[in-house]
């Protein structure tokens, strides 16, 4: 892949830019195997799973710059300004078209871009997600609610310019800090969720819910986890850090499990997962998703009161566990709980950080890696996703 922004030194986010993709993939596979060599036998590694090397991102996180009537969208340039990145080659086609149209749309709206150096202005960021069906979710991150009327007035122009815009929201971020979004979300459209159709499961994505950046590779990841579960024939699956329910609902749809329970900190994601389960026609009680601390999904930590009940109502004792934690991993307490839960015969661990994965595997010596695979969710960079199937010995 060739990128003018990279060649000009405007953006260096893609550290592998210019390296042939076959070489990138082989090097990344070698790197993650080396990092996990103490825990994963070379013989259990499957061939890496990959998708397109460009045009794969389903989301754009754009900083807003310029001035009123002359909007720039991209990344901070290091000098307090914003460098244009609207032609980034990583975006899916529908997303790329939307990003190119947004500067003009924002300029016509009269919204004032936020000036980081001066701490003035209103529109800070725009977050855009494209679904596999080409629909869009647009989230405008505002400094204050004072610009909500102006944004509402721009909706007709937005729908004309981007007819695929299904969900439009205003996110409020009054603080001056290095984050992309605030806690408060105001939905401006009738629809409040984007349908992310992955295979035959119509997952719902609401604002502030996590979804994998690369839909094609996420599809491969869900298929692999479901295939692993199909060989195990468990009755009940527990999915911690379940997000919008991708792993659990694909397994349930395929008949790889009979019942699922998911735990996720985001109430919006939990609502989405429960909505998908209902639309799938899941029998009441066979798909239960709850908002809570995933690290407590197996009950109290080792230093807590052992008589405490696990969070939520479980549709039966789980025999297989899926965990898909953030970069920090599952941590010592949850690893301890898994290690001391003999009813859990198998664990599927999907990780975006082999360092924390290696540490967590070391804390669960009763579980051995039966199969492992790299999923190249992030071409052109060193970022990775690795899934391992663990079996209790």
């Amino acid at each position: 892949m060739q990128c003018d922004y990279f060649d000009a030194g405007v953006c260096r986010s893609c550290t592998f830019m210019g390296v042939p993709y076959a070489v990138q993939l082989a090097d990344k596979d070698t790197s993650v195997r080396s990092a996990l060599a103490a825990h994963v036998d070379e013989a259990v590694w499957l061939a890496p799973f990959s998708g397109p090397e460009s045009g794969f991102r389903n989301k754009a996180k754009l900083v807003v710059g310029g001035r009123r009537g002359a909007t720039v969208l991209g990344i901070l340039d290091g000098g307090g300004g914003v460098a244009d990145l609207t032609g980034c080659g990583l975006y899916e086609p529908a997303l790329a078209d939307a990003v190119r149209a947004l500067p003009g749309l924002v300029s016509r709206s009269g919204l004032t871009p936020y000036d980081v150096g001066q701490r003035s202005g209103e529109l800070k960021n725009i977050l855009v997600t494209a679904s596999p069906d080409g629909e869009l979710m647009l989230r405008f991150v505002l400094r204050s609610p004072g610009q909500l009327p102006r944004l509402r007035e721009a909706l007709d122009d937005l729908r004309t310019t981007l007819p695929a815009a299904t969900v439009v929201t205003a996110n409020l971020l009054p603080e001056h800090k290095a984050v992309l979004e605030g806690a408060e979300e105001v939905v401006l459209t009738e629809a409040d969720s984007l349908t992310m159709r992955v295979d035959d499961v119509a997952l719902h994505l609401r604002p502030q819910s996590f979804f994998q950046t690369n839909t094609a590779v996420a599809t491969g990841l869900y298929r692999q986890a479901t295939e692993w579960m199909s060989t195990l024939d468990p009755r009940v699956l527990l999915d911690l850090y379940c997000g919008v329910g991708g792993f659990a609902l694909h397994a349930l749809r395929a008949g790889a499990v009979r019942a699922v329970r998911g735990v996720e900190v985001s109430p919006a994601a939990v609502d989405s997962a429960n909505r998908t389960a209902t639309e799938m026609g899941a029998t009441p009680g066979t798909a239960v998703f709850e908002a809570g601390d995933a690290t407590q999904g197996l009950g109290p930590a080792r230093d807590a009161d052992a008589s405490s009940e696990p969070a939520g109502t479980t549709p039966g004792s789980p025999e297989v566990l899926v965990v898909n934690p953030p970069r920090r991993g599952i941590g010592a307490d949850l690893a301890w709980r898994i290690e001391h839960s003999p009813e859990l015969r198998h664990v599927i661990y999907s990780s975006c950080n082999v360092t924390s994965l290696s540490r967590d595997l070391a804390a669960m010596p009763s579980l051995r890696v039966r199969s492992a695979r790299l999923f190249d969710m992030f071409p052109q960079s060193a970022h990775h996703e690795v899934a391992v199937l663990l079996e209790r010995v």
Side-chain angles (χ1 to χ4, degrees):
M1 177 182 173
Q2 183 273 333
C3 175
D4 291 340
Y5 296 119
F6 185 88
D7 293 344
V10 173
C11 176
R12 293 290 182 174
S13 299
C14 293
T15 53
F16 290 173
M17 186 62 67
V19 178
Y21 186 54
V23 176
Q24 288 185 37
L25 189 60
D27 288 350
K28 194 179 295 189
D29 192 43
T30 298
S31 177
V32 298
R33 291 186 186 209
S34 176
L36 296 173
H39 310 288
V40 186
D41 190 293
E42 185 66 25
V44 307
W45 281 99
L46 302 174
F49 185 96
S50 62
E53 65 171 295
S54 62
F56 61 84
R57 282 189 67 94
N58 57 30
K59 64 184 72 173
K61 302 175 181 180
L62 303 162
V63 179
V64 182
R67 63 183 188 280
R68 181 184 293 185
T71 306
V72 178
L73 299 180
I75 59 172
L76 291 173
D77 62 9
V82 173
D84 169 76
L85 277 189
T86 52
C88 176
L90 299 186
Y91 299 145
E92 289 183 0
L95 181 59
D97 291 343
V99 169
R100 283 192 292 268
L102 279 171
L105 192 153
V106 174
S107 295
R108 294 191 299 273
S109 74
L111 288 165
T112 305
Y114 184 72
D115 187 306
V116 175
Q118 298 296 320
R119 300 193 180 189
S120 63
E122 284 294 332
L123 182 58
K124 295 184 171 183
N125 306 305
I126 303 178
L127 312 177
V128 192
T129 304
S131 79
D133 297 330
E135 295 181 331
L136 301 169
M137 178 190 293
L138 291 93
R139 303 172 60 212
F140 295 83
V141 183
L142 299 173
R143 184 184 186 187
S144 70
Q147 294 299 303
L148 278 173
R150 191 182 295 275
L151 187 53
R152 291 184 192 277
E153 290 172 1
L155 279 178
D156 285 344
D157 185 18
L158 190 154
R159 290 189 177 105
T160 300
T161 305
L162 298 172
T166 302
V167 183
V168 181
T169 76
N171 178 275
L172 301 181
L173 177 60
E175 302 91 349
H176 178 83
K177 58 183 181 181
V179 296
L180 284 172
E181 60 188 277
E184 185 177 354
E185 199 91 22
V186 181
V187 179
L188 305 177
T189 49
E190 182 177 348
D192 64 354
S193 71
L194 188 68
T195 302
M196 304 295 287
R197 201 175 309 279
V198 181
D199 281 336
D200 60 348
V201 179
L203 298 167
H204 288 282
L205 182 65
R206 295 182 65 191
Q208 303 192 36
S209 297
F210 171 78
F211 193 83
Q212 297 283 6
T213 299
N214 188 326
T215 305
V217 178
T219 301
L221 178 62
Y222 294 148
R223 287 176 181 172
Q224 181 65 75
T226 298
E227 180 182 323
W228 280 337
M229 279 183 263
S230 296
T231 66
L232 306 175
D233 193 30
R235 289 169 299 177
V236 181
L237 161 69
L238 175 60
D239 186 353
L240 301 181
Y241 311 93
C242 68
V244 297
F247 284 104
L249 293 171
H250 276 83
L252 189 64
R253 168 69 83 185
V257 295
R258 295 165 181 78
V260 298
R261 174 183 169 230
V263 181
E264 164 63 40
V265 70
S266 167
V270 168
D271 288 346
S272 297
N274 281 316
R275 177 177 172 180
T276 301
T278 299
E279 291 179 353
M280 285 172 49
T283 304
T286 60
V288 178
F289 296 93
E290 306 159 345
D293 181 355
T295 65
Q296 300 301 303
L298 278 173
R302 54 183 155 181
D303 296 327
D305 179 4
S307 65
S308 299
E309 291 293 330
T313 303
T314 310
S317 297
E319 299 134 307
V320 63
L321 170 69
V322 170
V323 291
N324 183 27
R327 289 186 57 81
R328 64 179 178 272
I330 62 175
D333 284 336
L334 180 53
W336 185 90
R337 293 296 300 171
I338 295 171
E339 173 68 11
H340 293 86
S341 297
E343 71 279 3
L344 285 175
R345 304 305 305 165
H346 297 91
V347 175
I348 296 173
Y349 192 140
S350 182
S351 169
C352 61
N353 183 353
V354 290
T355 300
S356 58
L357 173 59
S358 179
R359 180 203 65 213
D360 291 338
L361 291 177
M364 300 183 291
S366 294
L367 294 158
R368 70 176 181 187
V369 178
R370 174 171 157 180
S371 188
R373 194 173 194 182
L374 166 70
F375 291 83
D376 195 17
M377 202 78 69
F378 314 98
Q380 314 305 330
S381 76
H383 297 296
H384 53 265
E385 189 83 16
V386 177
V388 295
L389 170 62
L390 306 174
E391 182 175 65
R392 193 171 296 276
V393 295

